Amino acid sequence: MIELIPAIDLIEGKCVRLTKGEYDSKKVYNEDPVSQAKEFERLGFKRLHVVDLDGAKSKHIVNDAVLRAIAEATNLTVDFGGGIKTEEDIEKAFAAGAAMVTLGSIAVTDPVKCCQWIDRYGADRIILGADVRNGKISINGWKEDSSDDLMPFLRKYVEKGVRNVLCTEISKDGTLAGPAVELYKQIMAEFPQMHLIASGGVSCNNDIEGLEQAGIPAVVFGKAWYEGRIDLSQLFHNN
């Protein structure tokens, strides 16, 4: 059974979606992310993926007040990412109600510090963000490509005890063009114990079913939901 995780991406406190991470492509879907989170909970979802896009751009958490409001208004298990660069950011996210935080750019630029945080907070509270473009890990709100290749990057942190990995194929994100199933299958073949969260490109129920059939443990979806392309009754019936 694949874990179903709807997403709320935040810019200026509003629920938005981008295409391929381009801020100029912003489309606002709901000006009240708290009401959106409550609706997800009412529909039966247990988990929520929240991304602070302002934070990713600013390189520090910006929308922690929205995170706190969502956590106080719902019983959803919320994972939070975007702009986490310091221990102060991590503490701020956990204090605002995040159950887990996603470490992306910092895992590339300062792996020593990242590993210290894994030791301090526990690998179960950390999600490794692996945002991929042309086989390389992308950083800083997808504005830069690093020199890190995907598989060695993942191996380093799997050996450190990290099990939760959010992998976004940037070329797919927000395109509704279908997820990068073959990439995810390669990752699972290499790291079968990983709780891999597929992200990017989901356009319909069939895409989610395809990921489940491929053995992918979890999926994040956003635009497909907001565009009315996902049949909820079918989604939960199959899960």
Side-chain angles (χ1 to χ4, degrees):
M1 182 185 297
I2 193 167
E3 185 178 18
L4 304 168
I5 310 173
I8 289 178
D9 291 1
L10 298 169
I11 290 181
E12 298 175 349
K14 299 175 182 178
C15 180
V16 307
R17 296 301 293 174
L18 307 182
T19 300
K20 300 183 182 180
E22 295 295 334
Y23 284 74
D24 290 344
S25 70
K26 177 183 73 175
K27 183 174 181 180
V28 177
Y29 284 97
N30 194 327
E31 297 200 357
D32 184 357
V34 176
S35 70
Q36 182 63 66
K38 290 169 73 173
E39 177 68 2
F40 282 137
E41 183 176 44
R42 185 189 70 77
L43 292 169
F45 293 103
K46 306 297 184 186
R47 176 92 177 261
L48 180 64
H49 176 62
V50 177
V51 182
D52 184 353
L53 291 174
D54 292 315
K57 201 171 186 179
S58 303
K59 302 184 182 181
H60 61 85
I61 288 179
V62 174
N63 284 292
D64 52 302
V66 179
L67 168 63
R68 184 183 301 277
I70 289 172
E72 290 176 350
T74 74
N75 291 311
L76 293 165
T77 298
V78 181
D79 69 77
F80 183 83
I84 295 175
K85 308 288 189 190
T86 64
E87 193 165 337
E88 181 183 3
D89 286 324
I90 294 180
E91 295 285 353
K92 187 179 288 187
F94 285 145
M100 293 169 278
V101 294
T102 300
L103 302 180
S105 300
I106 193 71
V108 176
T109 60
D110 197 339
V112 172
K113 183 182 290 183
C114 191
C115 288
Q116 290 173 344
W117 292 343
I118 292 166
D119 288 337
R120 185 166 303 150
Y121 297 103
D124 59 327
R125 300 192 78 188
I126 303 295
I127 299 173
L128 179 66
D131 301 326
V132 187
R133 181 163 44 210
N134 300 322
K136 303 288 187 181
I137 301 296
S138 186
I139 59 175
N140 294 331
W142 301 351
K143 298 303 178 189
E144 305 170 41
D145 290 335
S146 74
S147 60
D148 284 36
D149 291 313
L150 174 62
M151 290 301 186
F153 173 76
L154 294 176
R155 185 172 297 108
K156 175 169 57 181
Y157 286 103
V158 167
E159 290 174 352
K160 185 63 181 174
V162 170
R163 180 168 172 264
N164 299 296
V165 175
L166 174 72
C167 185
T168 303
E169 169 50 77
I170 294 169
S171 68
K172 297 279 192 177
D173 191 67
T175 65
L176 302 172
V181 178
E182 291 306 313
L183 173 65
Y184 301 133
K185 286 167 69 174
Q186 291 171 21
I187 294 172
M188 291 305 300
E190 188 78 17
F191 308 106
Q193 301 308 312
M194 182 182 290
H195 188 74
L196 177 64
I197 306 166
S199 172
V202 170
S203 68
C204 61
N205 288 61
N206 286 344
D207 286 339
I208 295 173
E209 291 164 13
L211 287 166
E212 183 168 33
Q213 290 166 6
I216 310 307
V219 58
V220 164
F221 48 88
K223 183 174 283 190
W225 174 266
Y226 296 114
E227 298 278 348
R229 291 167 170 259
I230 291 177
D231 181 342
L232 186 66
S233 60
Q234 184 186 0
L235 200 63
F236 283 130
H237 175 74
N238 292 340
N239 281 269

